[in-house]
Amino acid sequence: NPDADLNGSPTNPLTHPYWIPEFFGNAMVVNGRTWPVLKVEPRRYRLRIVDVAIFYGERGGGIRTYLEAKAEFARRTGWFEHHLVVPGRADAASCQGRHEQPSLRLAASNGYRLPLGTAGMPAMLRALSPDVVLLHDPYWTPRLASRAAHALGATVIAVHHSSPALH
């Protein structure tokens, strides 16, 4: 088959000139499309990122450490606008990009909290109007948050904070 020559002409120029659909490896994929193209008007844009995390302890923890470093980097550089949606006090006001959803504090748990329902998540995402939503756990409304984010045109990324060696 002359089209199968990897060193010759591309076999599928309509997808990408050098991508073979049967190849499993490193390829740019966004929302199920390889090598996506987005046409936008020429002006300055600022990416708005929203991290949603249930495992966010009041006194520390690995995910909190990572997300606070990310928020500090966003504030310091201005490269993107960062928002964090976490379980918190029902009466907490949003400040510096941190948006707390109503929750109950778990006793003796380093300040971890259990969210009280999911009703506020779609409204919060609509208010923030994100470009990208990162879901940091599979327990706090991943389908609801994903549907709400996609309805706004946002890209959704599920983040897995674990080690395969532990499974």
Side-chain angles (χ1 to χ4, degrees):
N1 181 356
D3 289 338
D5 182 8
L6 295 178
N7 296 319
S9 299
T11 58
N12 60 345
L14 296 178
T15 303
H16 186 272
Y18 297 104
W19 185 50
I20 302 167
E22 294 78 21
F23 174 72
F24 293 96
N26 294 332
M28 170 77 80
V29 179
V30 176
N31 291 341
R33 293 194 48 147
T34 54
W35 300 99
V37 174
L38 178 64
K39 295 182 190 228
V40 297
E41 70 177 75
R43 67 177 177 86
R44 236 183 126 109
Y45 289 89
R46 189 161 181 215
L47 186 66
R48 183 173 296 140
I49 297 174
V50 174
D51 284 289
V52 178
I54 191 174
F55 296 118
Y56 187 87
E58 292 175 353
R59 292 183 295 278
I63 294 173
R64 179 184 176 127
T65 300
Y66 161 72
L67 291 173
E68 286 189 350
K70 183 178 185 179
E72 193 280 324
F73 177 83
R75 279 191 296 275
R76 184 170 34 85
T77 65
W79 288 358
F80 57 93
E81 184 179 324
H82 183 257
H83 294 271
L84 179 60
V85 178
V86 296
R89 296 185 327 273
D91 61 347
S94 297
C95 66
Q96 293 190 6
R98 180 173 157 158
H99 310 276
E100 295 184 1
Q101 298 290 289
S103 64
L104 293 174
R105 182 183 223 169
L106 299 173
S109 68
N110 200 29
Y112 288 99
R113 302 179 78 93
L114 181 65
L116 293 174
T118 61
M121 185 67 69
M124 178 59 66
L125 291 176
R126 280 193 301 276
L128 295 174
S129 187
D131 298 303
V132 178
V133 174
L134 290 101
L135 303 174
H136 289 273
D137 61 78
Y139 305 111
W140 192 23
T141 71
R143 286 183 288 184
L144 178 66
S146 182
R147 279 195 300 266
H150 281 135
L152 296 167
T155 296
V156 176
I157 300 170
V159 181
H160 181 68
H161 294 275
S162 183
S163 170
L166 298 175
H167 295 288

